[in-house]
Amino acid sequence: MNIALIGSGGREHALSHKLYQSNINNNIYCIPGNAGTSKFATNIDIDFLDFKLLLKVLKILKISLVIVGPEEPLVNGIVDFLEKNKIKVFGPNKYASQLEGSKAFMKSLCKKYNIPTAKFKICHNSKDVINFLKTCSLPVVVKADGLAAGKGVTICKSLNHVRKTTNEIFLGKFKTSKKAVLEEFLQGEEASYFLIVDKNNFKFFGVAQDHKKVGENEKGLNTGGMGAYSPIKIFNTKIEKKIITKIVKPTLQALKKRGEYYRGFLYVGLMIKNGEPFLIEYNVRMGDPECQVILPRLKTDLLKIINFSLKNKLNKIKIEWKKKKCMTVVLCSKGYPKKYKKNLNLNNLSKIKNEKNRFIFHAGTKIIDGEIKSSGGRILNITILGNNFKVIRKKIHDCLKIINLKNSFYRKDIGWRVIK
Ligand code: AMP
Ligand code: GLY
């Protein structure tokens, strides 16, 4: 079967690599993909947000299944559009994608169904902001309602900062929405919990911890993610039970009550405090870089699992995981998440020998005149599967030393919670 995978990051390299290993015969097209995916898939460099153009290309390539990696096409309704045009697609529809696409939608749903989350107010103007501040002490978390490419959340320690940040949102800094969601600041430990979902069922799809801050010791600006590992220490069956009963089930039932349903990967972003999970955010996709540490641990055929979800038969498949541990460290271009250099030369990649439990997932890379160059802020995900996180991290650092990329950096403390 011909499969099209939408996206170009480390997540999509990891997904396409797993699809390539499937026992179900398939040809993979990555739209647009990166230098890494081009090794076993055909990259098609078009704008996937142009749905009409995308449809034309899918028809020419005789694609029988589309798998969507990133959130933007999902929130824009790619699933509804392709289904209307009789193309099979794996991912949530436009209605369900509001769980990520609108913080106001997600928080209102939490309030209605008593889902544990930070106290909040949806603000349309400065009067709303003042009213919320009367009920909540600093710091306060200010969020843009709509998609903001990872730049929509600000933790404000002063009233002035709250005023400035909310005013920018009201004035239209983010094109997707002029609403701001203000939240109480939650203390605790973050965890990314994943499910694969169909109309009637859901199954565990891994748990990981990301490192969102750009600097070591969790300092500096928020990023898309600087590194991750799986499994994680804070997670156990007692907490999982609470996540399912207090958060996941009420959410999926709420969609059903509205005549809707969820299909796809569901990312439950949590803050865990004293053994109690609080929902920070939903994402309607796999995490990046969490996906890169979850898929190497997956034993069951990914394409088979997706096919079961498409038939609403996830209850009929056993999803199995390796006992091993996995970590990834993200190599970034200097300056990221602010302005950074592009076209860094990744020549040294050829010096790295293939090794069974090492995966170099590409993120922002491109082949230009036969050479692999950087094209994004997050460039590579050096990923290793093993038995001991300390040993794994040492091997990752050794690999990064060989790559020895000028004008790049990476966090050396990924996994600090599990490595003493
Ligand atoms: P979000 O896009 O909602 O996941 O927010 C991005 C990051 O901001 C999260 O991963 C947390 O590190 C932090 N964050 C968001 N909301 C809160 C909150 N209510 N309390 C503490 N930290 C938060
Ligand atoms: N790693 C965070 C995210 O995928 O949103």
Side-chain angles (χ1 to χ4, degrees):
M1 72 194 291
N2 288 351
I3 300 175
L5 175 68
I6 308 287
S8 63
R11 169 183 51 213
E12 285 74 26
H13 189 185
L15 283 165
S16 58
H17 179 246
K18 213 58 187 179
L19 293 170
Y20 181 70
Q21 292 173 335
S22 170
N23 285 326
I24 305 166
N25 209 350
N26 70 74
N27 257 317
I28 309 164
Y29 293 88
C30 286
I31 304 178
N34 59 35
T37 63
S38 68
K39 284 211 175 132
F40 44 77
T42 309
N43 286 349
I44 310 281
D45 196 2
I46 59 160
D47 174 11
F48 55 68
L49 294 174
D50 182 344
F51 292 170
K52 280 192 182 150
L53 171 67
L54 176 68
L55 180 65
K56 263 191 205 159
V57 172
L58 297 176
K59 283 188 172 163
I60 293 168
L61 298 173
K62 297 192 168 40
I63 297 294
S64 45
L65 170 63
V66 177
I67 298 170
V68 188
E71 63 280 10
E72 202 177 354
L74 293 167
V75 171
N76 290 0
I78 194 172
V79 169
D80 312 59
F81 176 82
L82 292 179
E83 281 180 346
K84 210 168 105 191
N85 286 285
K86 309 268 180 293
I87 290 188
K88 209 196 285 179
V89 50
F90 178 71
N93 64 17
K94 190 171 183 174
Y95 187 88
S97 295
Q98 290 179 92
L99 286 175
E100 176 167 1
S102 167
K103 304 255 184 215
F105 175 88
M106 184 282 256
K107 294 294 272 191
S108 303
L109 191 143
C110 286
K111 192 170 175 188
K112 186 160 180 198
Y113 295 95
N114 231 351
I115 294 171
T117 189
K119 190 170 87 177
F120 73 100
K121 185 170 175 71
I122 298 163
C123 299
H124 300 86
N125 51 46
S126 53
K127 207 171 137 204
D128 291 341
V129 174
I130 293 164
N131 282 337
F132 181 70
L133 291 171
K134 284 181 192 156
T135 69
C136 187
S137 53
L138 293 166
V140 158
V141 186
V142 178
K143 298 185 176 182
D145 170 43
L147 285 189
K151 295 184 174 69
V153 177
T154 315
I155 294 163
C156 299
K157 292 189 179 138
S158 72
L159 294 179
N160 258 344
H161 199 190
V162 177
R163 262 183 230 123
K164 184 171 171 279
T165 313
T166 48
N167 276 338
E168 283 173 354
I169 296 173
F170 298 147
L171 289 171
K173 179 176 177 185
F174 301 100
K175 300 207 167 56
T176 42
S177 170
K178 285 186 179 174
K179 279 181 260 182
V181 177
L182 262 61
E183 286 183 19
E184 109 188 81
F185 180 80
L186 290 177
Q187 305 277 359
E189 193 173 324
E190 276 186 66
S192 310
Y193 176 78
F194 296 90
L195 297 167
I196 183 162
V197 185
D198 69 25
K199 265 187 187 175
N200 310 314
N201 314 281
F202 59 84
K203 280 267 160 92
F204 173 76
F205 206 72
V207 64
Q209 208 154 36
D210 186 13
H211 299 62
K212 288 207 168 109
K213 294 280 188 289
V214 70
E216 280 157 26
N217 302 314
E218 307 309 327
K219 296 257 161 62
L221 294 174
N222 253 345
T223 68
M226 298 294 294
Y229 64 95
S230 173
I232 64 173
K233 220 164 76 177
I234 194 171
F235 187 72
N236 57 43
T237 47
K238 212 167 144 193
I239 288 182
E240 180 167 34
K241 223 172 157 186
K242 288 181 188 169
I243 299 169
I244 300 280
T245 53
K246 294 184 177 187
I247 299 175
V248 173
K249 281 190 176 167
T251 303
L252 297 178
Q253 276 160 10
L255 293 179
K256 278 210 170 146
K257 276 188 196 146
R258 295 171 194 196
E260 297 285 341
Y261 70 96
Y262 195 97
R263 180 190 335 277
F265 296 118
L266 181 62
Y267 171 146
V268 189
L270 300 160
M271 187 71 86
I272 298 173
K273 190 183 173 187
N274 301 331
E276 289 299 323
F278 292 84
L279 179 68
I280 294 191
E281 61 166 347
Y282 273 127
N283 293 316
V284 294
R285 51 174 173 81
M286 282 305 287
D288 185 343
E290 290 96 323
C291 185
Q292 292 87 305
V293 293
I294 286 175
L295 290 185
R297 302 185 59 231
L298 178 66
K299 264 197 210 163
T300 314
D301 190 317
L302 175 65
L303 191 50
K304 192 173 162 194
I305 302 173
I306 289 176
N307 279 334
F308 271 71
S309 163
L310 287 161
K311 289 181 188 145
N312 300 314
K313 284 186 174 165
L314 276 175
N315 54 327
K316 299 273 194 260
I317 187 167
K318 188 160 185 237
I319 302 179
E320 292 188 278
W321 301 91
K322 293 176 191 165
K323 288 266 182 311
K324 286 192 183 304
K325 295 170 176 161
C326 193
M327 180 182 284
T328 191
V329 174
V330 182
L331 179 67
C332 298
S333 177
K334 203 168 161 183
Y336 175 79
K338 289 195 168 165
K339 207 168 171 236
Y340 56 82
K341 283 196 176 172
K342 288 187 185 176
N343 292 318
L344 306 180
N345 203 322
L346 292 156
N347 280 341
N348 287 347
L349 273 179
S350 58
K351 292 185 189 162
I352 311 246
K353 293 191 191 86
N354 279 338
E355 225 179 75
K356 191 172 160 244
N357 285 325
R358 183 172 57 209
F359 312 91
I360 300 188
F361 295 126
H362 289 226
T365 68
K366 255 194 172 156
I367 297 177
I368 301 172
D369 298 330
E371 291 194 331
I372 302 179
K373 299 265 174 87
S374 75
S375 60
R378 294 193 291 176
I379 304 170
L380 297 172
N381 309 137
I382 313 302
T383 310
I384 287 183
L385 196 62
N387 298 314
N388 174 304
F389 279 127
K390 195 170 178 180
V391 176
I392 291 175
R393 192 171 72 182
K394 165 86 175 50
K395 284 186 180 168
I396 292 174
H397 290 172
D398 289 346
C399 185
L400 280 158
K401 278 177 200 149
I402 298 173
I403 295 172
N404 189 24
L405 183 64
K406 264 193 204 142
N407 290 309
S408 73
F409 72 100
Y410 58 92
R411 268 184 68 170
K412 297 184 183 60
D413 67 342
I414 299 303
W416 60 268
R417 280 195 164 91
V418 284
I419 302 174
K420 289 286 167 259

